[in-house]
């Protein structure tokens, strides 16, 4: 059973049980309240009738004495209230001797209202001598109504007493049942929480503990087996399968590393059989000094430039350098090319000194300059120009390498920008680094994809623009 199904079954059942308990308690309390309201309405009715009877008698007396409009208006107002209470009393029913008492009470109230109406009518007709006997009689009836009201109240209380006792018994039973249901729901909640913890939380904690062991490098850690067809069981099986695949992958990687180690050892032995670079540097230095002694200063300078160029090219490519070092390396390279092309080429350098502390991957500018020589101006007989410009822009350094050579087509330009097979095949002559290699190392070094823009057209020359984020030596390098 899935976890979602378990939750949709047990939680609604628990909520329904709690709602049933609340509804049961509400209905029991409602019945008690209704019974109590009925009794209190009856008692209140008798008390109101008794009170309004006395008020009617009081205002009737005041009206007989003063015979003014105010007392008459008050008399009529209370008389209407008493008639309204009489209408409510008519619907009241009792049985046995109690019914006789209630009927007598209704008749007295009817006689009281009739005598009151008669007295008011005689006063209106100026019959002052005829209402004295009626007033004495209405006083007696008022006394009887007050006494019977109290008797009916006592009757209601005595009638309600067994009902009240039964109500107390029902309340006690209801409280007992409510307590039992509360204990039952509490036990069910605890059982459900324990079951949910054992089936969900505990397996997850075991998987988390195993994951922490594996993340610490303990690949032989015990993976708990989780039974069941729910999501936790599936997660446990998947996790176990993942660890097995990880162990197999690591085993294969170890084999690959061992093979690479053997290959590196073979490469090292092969390199050991080659000419020691320091021997070559020392030899070039001896040739340079000898040429200088013999008076061949240009030959000496060319030899020194070649030595410096070779030394720089053998540096580690993963170590960043400053733009100042790259510019000096480009000058050495151009000095060699100047000896080759002589007056056929002109090298223009425009450098902002504030940018020379910018760090950049080693061997970035010289391969691009070399690319301009090889593919741009090598076939020109005269007037060839290569320009290197380094300027500070807002939050970046802009490097521009331009030539006035043969240019390139749009297809070739797009192929270089998108690192296609064309750019991979065009490698330099001295470094062995093609343009694609240079551009890719820039992207990895700065962590930005769009650093390069190439502007070119056939017979219009080529301009390569590098827009590099500002970075000083010591900052984290890729």
């Amino acid at each position: 059973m899935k976890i979602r199904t378990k939750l949709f079954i047990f939680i609604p059942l628990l909520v329904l049980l709690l709602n049933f308990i609340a509804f049961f308690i509400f209905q029991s309390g409602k019945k008690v309240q209704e019974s109590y309201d009925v009794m209190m309405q009856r008692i209140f009715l008798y008390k109101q009738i008794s009170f309004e009877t006395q008020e009617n008698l009081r205002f009737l007396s005041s009206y007989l004495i003063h015979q003014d409009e105010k007392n008459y208006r008050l008399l009529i107002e209370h008389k209407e209230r008493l008639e309204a209470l009489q209408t409510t009393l008519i619907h009241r029913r009792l049985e046995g001797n109690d019914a006789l008492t209630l009927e007598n009470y209704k008749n007295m109230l009817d006689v009281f209202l009739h005598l009151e109406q008669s007295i008011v009518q005689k006063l209106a007709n100026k019959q002052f001598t005829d209402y004295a006997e009626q007033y004495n009689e209405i006083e007696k009836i008022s006394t009887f109504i007050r006494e019977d009201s109290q008797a009916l109240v006592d009757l209601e209380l005595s009638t309600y007493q067994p009902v009240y006792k039964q109500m107390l018994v029902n309340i006690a039973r209801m409280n007992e049942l409510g307590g039992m249901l509360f204990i039952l729901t509490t036990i069910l909640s605890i059982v459900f929480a324990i079951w949910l913890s054992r089936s969900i939380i505990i397996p997850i904690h075991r998987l988390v503990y195993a994951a922490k062991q594996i993340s610490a490098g303990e690949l032989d850690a015990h993976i708990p087996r989780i039974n069941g067809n729910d999501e936790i069981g599936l997660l446990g099986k998947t996790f176990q399968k993942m660890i097995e695949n990880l162990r197999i992958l690591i085993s294969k990687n170890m084999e690959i590393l061992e093979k690479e180690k053997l290959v590196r050892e073979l490469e090292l032995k092969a390199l050991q059989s080659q000419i020691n670079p320091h021997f070559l540097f020392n030899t070039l230095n001896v040739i340079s000094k000898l040429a200088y002694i013999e008076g061949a200063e240009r030959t000496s300078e060319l030899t020194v430039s070649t030595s410096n160029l070779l030394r720089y090219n053998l540096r580690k490519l993963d170590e960043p350098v400053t733009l100042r070092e790259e510019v000096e390396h480009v000058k050495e390279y151009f000095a060699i090319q100047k000896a080759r092309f002589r007056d056929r080429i002109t090298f223009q350098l425009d450098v902002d000194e504030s940018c020379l502390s910018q760090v950049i991957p080693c061997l970035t500018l010289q391969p691009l300059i070399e690319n301009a020589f090889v593919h741009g101006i090598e076939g020109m007989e005269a007037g060839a120009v290569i320009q290197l410009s380094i300027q500070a822009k807002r939050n970046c350094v802009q490097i521009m390498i331009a030539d006035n050579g043969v240019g390139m087509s749009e297809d070739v330009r797009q192929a270089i920008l998108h690192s296609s097979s064309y750019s991979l095949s065009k490698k330099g002559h001295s470094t062995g680094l093609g343009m694609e290699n240079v551009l890719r190392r820039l992207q990895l070094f700065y962590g930005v994809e769009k650093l390069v823009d190439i502007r070119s057209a056939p017979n219009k020359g080529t301009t390569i623009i590098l827009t590099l984020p500002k970075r000083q030596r010591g900052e984290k390098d890729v």
Side-chain angles (χ1 to χ4, degrees):
M1 184 184 296
K2 294 184 178 181
I3 297 176
R4 183 179 181 183
T5 305
K6 295 176 183 178
L7 296 177
F8 272 120
I9 291 177
F10 289 101
I11 292 180
L13 284 177
L14 188 61
V15 172
L16 287 175
L17 183 59
L18 293 175
N19 288 339
F20 172 75
I21 296 173
F23 180 75
F24 174 77
I25 296 175
F26 171 75
Q27 286 295 111
S28 301
K30 184 179 179 181
K31 290 181 180 179
V32 173
Q33 184 66 35
E34 289 176 352
S35 177
Y36 181 78
D37 287 344
V38 170
M39 181 197 71
M40 292 305 298
Q41 287 176 4
R42 292 172 180 173
I43 292 176
F44 187 64
L45 177 63
Y46 300 143
K47 289 293 184 179
Q48 279 187 309
I49 291 175
S50 176
F51 174 77
E52 287 298 334
T53 301
Q54 298 303 316
E55 288 296 298
N56 272 265
L57 184 63
R58 183 167 67 86
F59 285 110
L60 178 62
S61 175
S62 297
Y63 180 63
L64 291 176
I65 295 173
H66 301 287
Q67 296 186 13
D68 56 348
E69 182 65 24
K70 178 181 178 182
N71 284 296
Y72 178 76
R73 181 172 50 80
L74 292 174
L75 175 62
I76 297 301
E77 180 180 345
H78 283 275
K79 179 175 177 296
E80 291 175 352
R81 292 181 183 178
L82 187 59
E83 289 175 346
L85 293 173
Q86 181 189 25
T87 303
T88 304
L89 183 65
I90 293 175
H91 301 288
R92 178 79 173 90
R93 296 288 185 272
L94 290 177
E95 297 180 356
N97 295 330
D98 298 337
L100 181 61
T101 303
L102 182 60
E103 288 298 323
N104 184 41
Y105 185 75
K106 292 179 181 179
N107 292 331
M108 284 192 298
L109 183 60
D110 189 59
V111 171
F112 180 87
L113 290 172
H114 179 72
L115 289 175
E116 185 180 28
Q117 180 66 28
S118 176
I119 292 172
V120 172
Q121 187 66 33
K122 287 182 179 180
L123 285 177
N125 295 331
K126 306 299 182 178
Q127 299 175 0
F128 301 110
T129 58
D130 297 337
Y131 63 81
E133 184 177 352
Q134 290 181 340
Y135 183 79
N136 291 332
E137 186 176 355
I138 201 173
E139 282 187 332
K140 294 179 181 179
I141 293 175
S142 173
T143 304
F144 293 151
I145 289 175
R146 184 175 65 252
E147 293 174 354
D148 284 358
S149 295
Q150 185 60 43
L152 287 172
V153 169
D154 295 339
L155 181 62
E156 286 290 341
L157 292 175
S158 61
T159 303
Y160 188 74
Q161 185 175 5
V163 177
Y164 178 73
K165 291 180 179 180
Q166 184 63 36
M167 182 179 67
L168 293 178
V169 173
N170 293 336
I171 291 175
R173 291 178 180 176
M174 180 182 65
N175 292 335
E176 183 179 354
L177 180 59
M180 294 174 61
L181 291 175
F182 175 77
I183 294 174
L184 177 61
T185 53
T186 302
I187 294 174
L188 288 177
S189 300
I190 295 174
V191 170
F192 175 71
I194 295 174
W195 169 80
L196 189 64
S197 175
R198 292 180 62 87
S199 61
I200 299 178
I201 300 175
I202 293 178
I204 290 179
H205 284 172
R206 292 176 180 173
L207 290 176
V208 170
Y209 178 73
K212 288 181 179 179
Q213 287 182 308
I214 294 170
S215 65
E218 301 179 13
L219 296 178
D220 296 331
H222 173 68
I223 307 300
R225 291 189 176 273
I226 301 175
N227 299 321
N229 297 322
D230 57 4
E231 290 85 348
I232 303 300
L234 180 61
L235 178 62
K237 295 175 183 177
T238 305
F239 188 76
Q240 188 172 8
K241 184 66 175 177
M242 181 189 67
I243 297 304
E244 293 175 358
N245 293 336
L246 182 61
R247 290 169 181 168
I248 294 172
L249 180 61
I250 291 177
S251 177
K252 292 181 178 179
N253 286 340
M254 292 298 293
E255 295 177 0
I256 294 173
L257 290 175
E258 185 66 23
K259 293 178 182 178
E260 291 180 352
K261 181 180 179 182
L262 295 175
V263 171
R264 288 195 185 99
E265 291 177 356
L266 293 175
E267 291 177 348
L268 180 60
K269 292 179 180 179
L271 289 174
Q272 288 174 349
S273 64
Q274 297 177 2
I275 299 176
N276 192 326
H278 292 286
F279 173 76
L280 182 58
F281 297 149
N282 293 332
T283 301
L284 289 174
N285 286 331
V286 170
I287 295 173
S288 172
K289 298 300 181 183
L290 183 59
Y292 184 78
I293 292 172
E294 292 177 350
E297 296 182 1
R298 294 185 59 186
T299 303
S300 175
E301 293 175 358
L302 183 61
T303 305
V304 171
S305 296
T306 304
S307 175
N308 292 336
L309 185 70
L310 181 59
R311 187 188 299 272
Y312 194 87
N313 285 351
L314 290 175
R315 296 181 62 165
K316 292 183 179 180
L317 295 180
D318 57 350
E319 293 181 355
V321 297
T322 62
L323 269 178
R324 186 182 301 278
E325 295 174 276
E326 281 289 290
V327 170
E328 292 299 324
H329 179 60
V330 167
K331 289 179 180 179
E332 298 286 358
Y333 175 76
F334 187 79
I336 296 173
Q337 294 291 9
K338 183 70 174 177
R340 175 188 173 189
F341 290 94
R342 297 184 180 275
D343 295 333
R344 290 166 53 189
I345 62 170
T346 301
F347 183 60
Q348 297 178 355
L349 188 62
D350 182 15
V351 177
D352 186 349
E353 290 291 331
S354 63
C355 301
L356 294 182
S357 60
Q358 168 82 6
V359 291
I360 191 171
C362 181
L363 287 177
T364 296
L365 299 184
Q366 184 266 329
L368 299 179
I369 297 290
E370 182 178 5
N371 190 73
F373 273 102
V374 174
H375 301 288
I377 66 172
E378 190 173 25
M380 298 178 64
E381 294 296 332
V385 178
I386 294 180
Q387 180 183 4
L388 173 61
S389 173
I390 301 177
Q391 300 296 329
K393 302 294 182 181
R394 182 180 180 183
N395 298 326
C396 67
V397 174
Q398 187 180 79
I399 302 174
M400 184 180 68
I401 300 171
D403 66 77
N404 60 344
V406 297
M408 65 181 73
S409 65
E410 180 64 20
D411 293 340
V412 175
R413 190 184 75 88
Q414 291 294 334
I416 295 174
L417 287 175
H418 294 87
S419 301
S420 70
S421 59
Y422 180 89
S423 60
L424 289 172
S425 64
K426 301 296 182 182
K427 295 186 177 180
H429 290 184
S430 66
T431 62
L433 297 177
M435 183 178 292
E436 189 273 341
N437 183 291
V438 173
L439 301 185
R440 183 58 182 161
R441 285 193 298 121
L442 283 173
Q443 292 172 345
L444 294 175
F445 184 83
Y446 291 105
V448 180
E449 290 293 327
K450 296 182 178 180
L451 294 174
V452 183
D453 185 23
I454 300 177
R455 301 173 184 175
S456 182
N459 301 318
K460 297 294 184 178
T462 301
T463 301
I464 299 175
I465 301 175
L466 305 179
T467 304
L468 308 180
K470 287 187 177 180
R471 180 178 295 182
Q472 302 296 322
R473 184 177 292 277
E475 297 184 19
K476 184 177 179 181
D477 301 319
V478 177

